[in-house]
Amino acid sequence: MNVNQERIAKLQEKMQAANMDMYLVPTADFHQSEYVGTYFKVRAWLSGFSGSAGTLLVTRENAYLWTDGRYFIQAAKQLEGTGVTLMKMGEEGVPTVEEFIKENLPMNGCLGCDGRTIHVAEGKDFETLVQEKEGRFEYQDDLAGEIWTDRPEMSKEPVYTLDVKYAGKSREDKIQDVRDAMKEAGANVHIISSMDDIVWLLNIRGNDIIYNPVVMSYVMVTMEQVHFYVQEEAVSEQVRAELEKAGVVLHDYFAIYEDVKELADDSKIMLEDACTNYTLYKNLPGNVEVIFQSNPAAIMKGCKNETEMENIRIAHIKDAKAMCRFIYWFKNHVNSGEITEYSAAEKSLEFRKEDPDCLDLSFETICAYEANAAMCHYAPTETEYAKVEPKGFFLIDSGAQYWQGTTDITRTIAAGELTQEQKENFTLVLQGHIRLAMAKFQYGCSGANLDVLARGPLWERAMDFNHGTGHGVGYLLNVHEGPQNINWRMRANGRRGNTTPLEEGMLTSDEPGLYLEGKYGIRTENLLLCKKAEKNGYGQFMEFENMTWVPYEREAILPEMLTKAELVWLNEYHQKVYEIVGPMLSEEERQWLKEATAEIK
């Protein structure tokens, strides 16, 4: 047995002792975060699959891993020799986790999990499913944690405050806005579990999840106080004093599980079932009224205020300088034979860190050469990387956290000679990217309405990419932020629903791609700020303001494939890139940028 087989076997022993037939291990912390700290990487520790999304289901005899299309190639590689069966989500003939459990859980059987790592809606579904089998749903035990003897400690990085010159609104005003939303919903208590909403509300940041500046915490808002459940050693006296001045009372992080049991029977508690964990929900007194509603902070946070929007423009100009310098460096060194995926990732960070306002990356840099770029979320390491040769495509997807906001950009760069096929496919992806950036649409449209603009050129040739077209982006916060996204696939539940209307101030990515397994991958990404266009007798129209200012790879563009309007947009975009970024570069870099942004006819 390899190490992962041994770990799963130990879990199966625990299951047998507890008379459990199945044990569920999702990729989640106690707050349903997309990315999790090392303490919560139980699924990765057990299975060996390190991707950011996946669910492990262990039975008495076998183990199964569900993940989405971004990770099919990576998961297949990492699960080799573990005995874990890969279940490709969304593929024909592959059941969902719930369908699999329903089919395979025996009558009177037992399903177990750590209820803190599933959200309320999931817990209710599992409850119903198990009841149909006349079985048991055990959610109180962290069996996997019991066998992880050298488990890392839970992160408790220092909490710091975000000045109103960056936040644009005081924590007192934000708290009042949330209370107003509570009144409208008929609630007198609001439990917030999503850490990005919490730090936005309190104008604080932390570093408890790498690249996501959040704080391990819960908040319970009443009409009189704000109860902040946090690892208190992470909060300095200065930060505590600032919070207490705004009526925020600090408590121990885990105390909320007992405190909610003491809520008055006449409490009307508002919470979001896609963020609140099942154990916390089950601890609520039986007589209280629960109002399931999206956190009002989520939409408030998603619609950036004027100060945030102006700061975001500044952040992207800073980032454009770093990325243009990186591409110039890459082009001038690719023939040396010394560039690797890892050294390129380090170099891109070096350019960003030259700016004093850059605090960190916003996610792990994806630097992928040729076939590695076909793995959508591949990232090199210090010991595992490919050498870049002067031919084909090199893809870099990267971003940073600045005091002025969060960035995320992808460019596919020609490392050398390209084939006609590569140029055609690059142009198709760019065409979809441009069509979305050019969009003008009626207010009320969501990402589901716009997705076809980006996929259209590929769909016309019976091709596609297996990920969303766009995600919301936070302000010095999570690089993936709801409530909006751009994706044609409808979602029945979950925070990031693509039926959320696109509102003024929402920052969203535009990132179509194409991935040919074993050959190469292409992705092109800018961030777009939604804003109001004209209003007339037909209604309020909306459009996008581009935030990202980095040239596209002109060596890969076939202009004859673009429409006249698309070509005009491309040339105007490149002209603006040169106007904005050119003055910040050295003479040699500026000359390169002038050529890289020259008019394409």
Side-chain angles (χ1 to χ4, degrees):
M1 282 200 262
N2 71 14
V3 64
N4 298 109
Q5 287 175 309
E6 290 174 359
R7 290 167 180 173
I8 289 170
K10 287 181 181 177
L11 177 58
Q12 288 168 330
E13 288 174 12
K14 287 276 187 183
M15 291 166 57
Q16 188 156 347
N19 197 24
M20 283 184 191
D21 297 281
M22 294 180 171
Y23 193 82
L24 190 75
V25 186
T27 305
D29 56 19
F30 303 155
H31 307 269
Q32 305 306 305
S33 306
E34 179 182 13
Y35 300 105
V36 300
T38 54
Y39 175 87
F40 295 101
K41 293 187 176 181
V42 185
R43 183 266 299 152
W45 181 81
L46 278 168
S47 69
F49 168 60
S50 62
S52 68
T55 299
L56 179 68
L57 182 69
V58 180
T59 69
R60 294 281 186 96
E61 304 294 334
N62 299 298
Y64 305 85
L65 188 286
W66 279 260
T67 192
D68 62 56
R70 295 172 297 168
Y71 294 112
F72 288 168
I73 302 172
Q74 177 183 337
K77 285 187 175 183
Q78 292 183 325
L79 294 178
E80 279 182 18
T82 65
V84 179
T85 301
L86 174 60
M87 308 292 280
K88 296 182 177 181
M89 291 169 61
E91 295 288 284
E92 189 175 349
V94 177
T96 65
V97 178
E98 293 78 9
E99 288 168 346
F100 185 91
I101 294 172
K102 187 172 184 176
E103 179 69 25
N104 292 280
L105 184 69
M107 288 298 295
N108 307 119
C110 178
L111 171 66
C113 72
D114 180 350
R116 298 171 297 179
T117 63
I118 60 172
H119 58 64
V120 176
E122 288 174 317
K124 287 182 170 182
D125 287 344
F126 290 133
E127 238 182 44
T128 302
L129 191 156
V130 171
Q131 285 171 0
E132 291 173 358
K133 295 279 188 171
E134 299 179 16
R136 299 174 6 252
F137 181 37
E138 298 287 351
Y139 63 89
Q140 298 286 7
D141 298 319
D142 180 12
L143 294 188
E146 290 176 19
I147 63 172
W148 192 358
T149 54
D150 59 347
R151 187 175 189 170
E153 287 189 3
M154 192 180 292
S155 177
K156 52 188 79 170
E157 289 288 309
V159 177
Y160 60 96
T161 56
L162 187 67
D163 193 284
V164 73
K165 71 180 180 182
Y166 299 121
K169 199 167 194 175
S170 70
R171 60 180 63 89
E172 289 89 348
D173 287 344
K174 290 180 177 181
I175 291 166
Q176 186 56 54
D177 288 345
V178 168
R179 285 186 173 133
D180 289 344
M182 290 167 60
K183 288 178 186 174
E184 191 174 331
N188 54 24
V189 178
H190 180 29
I191 296 173
I192 309 178
S193 295
S194 44
M195 294 185 284
D196 52 336
D197 293 335
I198 289 169
V199 298
W200 174 85
L201 178 68
L202 301 181
N203 279 354
I204 57 173
R205 297 293 189 269
N207 192 32
D208 282 336
I209 299 178
I210 189 169
Y211 311 131
N212 294 356
V214 296
V215 177
M216 293 294 300
S217 57
Y218 302 93
V219 154
M220 185 156 56
V221 183
T222 69
M223 292 304 174
E224 297 78 34
Q225 289 181 313
V226 176
H227 299 278
F228 182 36
Y229 295 85
V230 64
Q231 298 175 97
E232 295 190 55
E233 56 266 55
V235 185
S236 68
E237 287 304 315
Q238 180 181 347
V239 173
R240 178 189 288 266
E242 284 193 44
L243 293 172
E244 288 178 345
K245 186 179 175 183
V248 178
V249 182
L250 272 66
H251 305 270
D252 177 71
Y253 174 74
F254 285 105
I256 191 169
Y257 288 92
E258 294 302 315
D259 285 1
V260 296
K261 293 178 181 178
E262 305 303 320
L263 289 170
D265 285 346
D266 63 350
S267 297
K268 292 177 171 48
I269 304 167
M270 182 168 72
L271 57 84
E272 184 169 354
D273 60 359
C275 302
T276 308
N277 76 57
Y278 184 69
T279 300
L280 185 59
Y281 165 73
K282 292 293 279 187
N283 281 6
L284 296 175
N287 294 329
V288 300
E289 180 183 344
V290 179
I291 302 167
F292 292 111
Q293 181 174 309
S294 295
N295 291 336
I299 189 70
M300 297 173 190
K301 169 170 57 68
C303 298
K304 312 302 186 275
N305 60 49
E306 289 294 336
T307 299
E308 289 173 318
M309 285 192 276
E310 190 53 41
N311 282 334
I312 287 167
R313 295 182 182 99
I314 295 168
H316 280 80
I317 291 173
K318 291 172 176 285
D319 208 58
K321 176 186 176 183
M323 279 303 299
C324 286
R325 294 193 66 208
F326 169 80
I327 296 173
Y328 172 78
W329 168 84
F330 181 90
K331 292 282 190 179
N332 279 272
H333 288 82
V334 69
N335 288 319
S336 69
E338 297 175 359
I339 295 180
T340 69
E341 294 168 331
Y342 186 75
S343 69
E346 290 294 289
K347 195 67 179 179
S348 69
L349 173 60
E350 181 184 315
F351 283 126
R352 284 188 166 105
K353 292 296 282 187
E354 288 179 5
D355 192 297
D357 286 338
C358 179
L359 304 180
D360 198 356
L361 296 175
S362 54
F363 56 96
E364 183 178 28
T365 299
I366 296 168
C367 274
Y369 177 62
E370 288 287 76
N372 286 342
M375 293 183 280
C376 193
H377 276 214
Y378 164 90
T381 69
E382 197 168 357
T383 56
E384 295 184 14
Y385 53 79
K387 191 174 182 179
V388 180
E389 298 177 22
K391 63 178 181 178
F393 277 137
F394 173 82
L395 184 152
I396 177 168
D397 184 350
S398 62
Q401 301 285 7
Y402 298 87
W403 283 110
Q404 293 83 8
T406 302
T407 66
D408 182 5
I409 171 177
T410 307
R411 287 295 181 267
T412 304
I413 306 168
E417 186 178 351
L418 301 175
T419 66
Q420 181 70 11
E421 177 197 88
Q422 286 175 319
K423 292 178 181 180
E424 288 179 4
N425 287 337
F426 181 94
T427 307
L428 289 171
V429 171
L430 177 63
Q431 188 172 40
H433 170 86
I434 291 172
R435 286 183 184 179
L436 179 57
M438 292 172 61
K440 182 173 285 189
F441 50 97
Q442 275 274 20
Y443 174 75
C445 282
S446 69
N449 301 119
L450 303 185
D451 185 80
V452 67
L453 294 173
R455 292 183 197 266
L458 292 170
W459 280 0
E460 288 164 13
R461 299 196 181 199
M463 296 189 290
D464 200 3
F465 50 95
N466 203 351
H467 58 75
T469 295
H471 56 83
V473 178
Y475 181 96
L476 184 48
L477 253 180
N478 297 356
V479 74
H480 292 166
E481 175 181 281
Q484 84 280 15
N485 70 25
I486 300 176
N487 195 333
W488 66 271
R489 295 181 187 275
M490 307 302 287
R491 297 190 181 189
N493 53 34
R495 303 190 69 199
R496 298 180 177 89
N498 58 350
T499 57
T500 300
L502 292 163
E503 302 275 359
E504 186 165 53
M506 285 183 170
L507 184 65
T508 310
S509 69
D510 169 6
E511 51 179 312
L514 184 65
Y515 310 93
L516 279 67
E517 185 174 347
K519 294 177 69 176
Y520 56 85
I522 299 165
R523 188 162 62 255
T524 300
E525 176 186 19
N526 284 7
L527 296 191
L528 306 174
L529 189 66
C530 187
K531 64 178 187 178
K532 291 178 180 177
E534 63 264 40
K535 185 177 183 180
N536 56 30
Y538 297 103
Q540 175 67 62
F541 285 85
M542 310 295 287
E543 61 188 3
F544 293 119
E545 177 186 348
N546 188 77
M547 294 288 106
T548 307
W549 302 109
V550 177
Y552 306 109
E553 181 56 86
R554 55 185 293 123
E555 293 177 42
I557 299 171
L558 297 176
E560 63 271 18
M561 291 178 60
L562 301 176
T563 67
K564 183 178 179 180
E566 290 160 358
L567 197 56
V568 168
W569 185 96
L570 176 62
N571 284 323
E572 288 179 350
Y573 173 84
H574 273 160
Q575 182 181 356
K576 197 160 183 181
V577 167
Y578 184 73
E579 290 172 358
I580 290 171
V581 185
M584 300 187 290
L585 303 179
S586 69
E587 182 59 39
E588 294 81 6
E589 292 165 339
R590 187 160 54 250
Q591 184 57 42
W592 162 79
L593 185 64
K594 187 173 184 179
E595 295 169 5
T597 57
E599 183 179 6
I600 299 174
K601 298 182 180 178

